Amino acid sequence: MKLPVIKHLTQFIEDNDQDYLIETIEVLEALTEIPSLKDEELDVIGELISNMYGALEVNKMTRDGMEKKEALNTFMQRVLGSIDK
């Protein structure tokens, strides 16, 4: 996951609508079922999906009243904490 990408996608959600990201995730997940995809291609799709889910989570935290910067930091702390375990 890349914080600048999540931050950019979070701004996209604010400017437009989270439904765009949700539908894009659905399309990307459907693409992962293509048997001829190479591992590298699947990795890129997986990274995109992860960043989009991250942006949706940050957006949810901001809708619940948290400042964007704090929501981004909280989310990344959770991600890093789960990696350390």
Side-chain angles (χ1 to χ4, degrees):
M1 290 190 180
K2 297 188 186 245
L3 188 57
V5 175
I6 293 171
K7 187 176 180 181
H8 186 79
L9 289 170
T10 302
Q11 185 62 50
F12 179 86
I13 293 170
E14 290 174 11
D15 294 343
N16 298 282
D17 191 339
Q18 75 175 12
D19 290 342
Y20 288 106
L21 254 63
I22 293 168
E23 291 169 359
T24 302
I25 290 168
E26 291 171 0
V27 170
L28 290 172
E29 287 175 342
L31 285 174
T32 64
E33 298 171 10
I34 298 172
S36 61
L37 282 180
K38 298 175 184 170
D39 288 342
E40 298 84 19
E41 294 167 326
L42 286 172
D43 289 344
V44 170
I45 293 171
E47 182 72 16
L48 290 169
I49 291 170
S50 295
N51 286 318
M52 289 181 190
Y53 274 123
L56 289 170
E57 183 63 27
V58 169
N59 180 259
K60 181 183 180 306
M61 287 188 267
T62 58
R63 281 194 330 254
D64 291 343
M66 193 178 290
E67 287 187 33
K68 188 193 310 189
K69 184 175 182 178
E70 183 183 355
L72 287 162
N73 288 332
T74 300
F75 177 75
M76 290 311 290
Q77 290 291 334
R78 274 197 350 231
V79 169
L80 293 173
S82 69
I83 292 171
D84 291 341
K85 292 182 180 180

